[in-house]
Amino acid sequence: MASPRPAAADKEFPWWLVAAGAIAVGVAVYVATSDLYTQVISTVSRGVLITVFVTVTGFALASALGLVMALMALSKRTLLRQTARFYVEVIRGVPVLVLLFWIAFAGVPAFVAGWNALTGPLQEAGLTGALQVRDVSLLWRAVIALTIGYSAFIAEIFRAGIQSVDEGQIEAGEALGLTRFQRFRLIVMPQALRTILPPLGNDFVAMVKDSSLVSVLGVADITQMGKIYASGSFRFFETYSIVAYIYLLLTISLSLALRALERRLRRSKTA
């Protein structure tokens, strides 16, 4: 049986959302009337700000780095293209959890050692102090790892979106005397964004979930706060149910906002 067309699917009444909303309200009422669940959610919710910070900061940096890699991959210079391809293929082949451990316990110490070696003369002259591994917090090590891990996937999204723009329009902009940056800003990116936005939004939602991996470094996000509470109270069912509930609220809200933005872009395109 053929699947509904996107336009028809958009017009369907969102019964799934009604069901999800009813469950969410029911859970919220139950939590509000239960002393145990109230205590659990008051503890776990302390990690929400850390989760939001890790996700937003990591995604913003990953998008910037991914755009640079995409532009390198589309460059006319062979060295830049091959460097971008090497970066993307290597980083995509490493699991995010492994990358977190490597950055936290191998990459950062190696960077600190290299930095101290380069700035040795300045340190001897008293112009700067030695950098210590402990100076780089575990929170920022986690952000760096997520930035590097997601930038490779985002680079491919940007590359595909930029290549989807009709070459004739770029040539027309060149004929009008627009510089390369003006063509990119006025012609390429506005059109590429319509192609880029859906997969980019999916990656943003995925990063919200993958941000839970930073708990393995002891970063006090939602998952880590849940682990701390559960290990002390042995209330594993209640604790991890609340953890899952909070993540669902975050991801479903983001998904709905992104779908609304996609529909708005489609309407502006057809207007």
Side-chain angles (χ1 to χ4, degrees):
M1 182 177 179
S3 59
R5 295 180 179 180
D10 288 342
K11 295 179 181 178
E12 291 180 354
F13 188 80
W15 291 108
W16 72 271
L17 183 58
V18 173
I23 294 173
V25 171
V27 171
V29 171
Y30 183 78
V31 167
T33 56
S34 170
D35 292 337
L36 173 59
Y37 277 100
T38 301
Q39 186 176 5
V40 173
I41 201 166
S42 66
T43 301
V44 173
S45 61
R46 296 174 191 167
V48 171
L49 289 179
I50 295 295
T51 294
V52 172
F53 174 80
V54 168
T55 302
V56 173
T57 305
F59 191 78
L61 295 175
S63 297
L65 182 56
L67 179 57
V68 171
M69 288 296 156
L71 295 176
M72 289 174 60
L74 297 172
S75 173
K76 296 179 180 180
R77 297 175 182 267
T78 303
L79 179 60
L80 293 179
R81 291 199 308 272
Q82 292 299 317
T83 300
R85 178 51 55 191
F86 175 83
Y87 177 88
V88 169
E89 294 299 336
V90 169
I91 298 301
R92 288 199 306 177
V94 180
V96 176
L97 183 59
V98 175
L99 193 60
L100 274 166
F101 283 128
W102 192 90
I103 293 294
F105 303 118
V108 169
F111 171 79
V112 169
W115 176 265
N116 288 333
L118 289 173
T119 60
L122 296 177
Q123 295 176 24
E124 293 176 1
L127 298 176
T128 183
L131 182 64
Q132 303 294 327
V133 174
R134 62 175 177 270
D135 293 334
V136 184
S137 68
L138 290 172
L139 174 63
W140 278 105
R141 298 185 205 188
V143 170
I144 292 169
L146 289 176
T147 296
I148 294 174
Y150 269 80
S151 64
F153 296 94
I154 293 175
E156 289 296 277
I157 293 174
F158 276 119
R159 181 189 59 78
I162 292 171
Q163 288 183 320
S164 68
V165 179
D166 185 13
E167 188 70 24
Q169 298 188 39
I170 302 174
E171 293 174 354
E174 186 176 3
L176 291 172
L178 298 179
T179 64
R180 180 177 297 181
F181 177 73
Q182 288 175 326
R183 295 196 300 271
F184 180 78
R185 181 172 62 89
L186 299 175
I187 299 175
V188 176
M189 279 309 293
Q191 298 182 69
L193 277 176
R194 295 190 180 96
T195 303
I196 290 170
L197 184 62
L200 201 62
N202 290 337
D203 271 10
F204 186 51
V205 174
M207 186 177 277
V208 173
K209 296 184 292 182
D210 280 350
S211 68
S212 62
L213 294 174
V214 306
S215 62
V216 301
L217 301 181
V219 177
D221 71 325
I222 296 171
T223 304
Q224 178 66 8
M225 297 306 296
K227 288 166 61 178
I228 292 173
Y229 184 86
S231 62
S233 64
F234 297 100
R235 294 285 187 173
F236 295 100
F237 176 82
E238 294 86 350
T239 302
Y240 288 111
S241 295
I242 292 297
V243 169
Y245 177 72
I246 294 175
Y247 276 113
L248 278 172
L249 288 179
L250 291 174
T251 55
I252 291 178
S253 299
L254 279 173
S255 297
L256 292 174
L258 289 168
R259 288 185 183 181
L261 182 57
E262 289 175 30
R263 287 194 296 269
R264 183 175 179 180
L265 286 175
R266 283 202 300 267
R267 287 196 298 267
S268 66
K269 182 179 180 180
T270 56

